[in-house]
Amino acid sequence: MAFWLDLMFGNPVGLLSMIVIFSTLGIISYLGWMFVKKSADPTA
């Protein structure tokens, strides 16, 4: 846990990389949710 805290708050590059990773995960999950929602059977 100390490694992650040092990576996030120790230097700006680590913080930026964590922001990029979490933003990418958010975008992928949003696209997956939209895909599941659009692929659902509308009559069900």
Side-chain angles (χ1 to χ4, degrees):
M1 189 67 188
F3 171 71
W4 290 105
L5 287 175
D6 184 45
L7 186 65
M8 282 193 288
F9 303 113
N11 51 358
V13 177
L15 180 62
L16 186 64
S17 66
M18 295 300 286
I19 290 173
V20 167
I21 289 170
F22 286 125
S23 312
T24 305
L25 288 175
I27 291 170
I28 288 173
S29 61
Y30 175 72
L31 289 176
W33 176 74
M34 286 298 292
F35 178 75
V36 168
K37 186 173 174 168
K38 293 288 185 183
S39 298
D41 189 12
T43 61

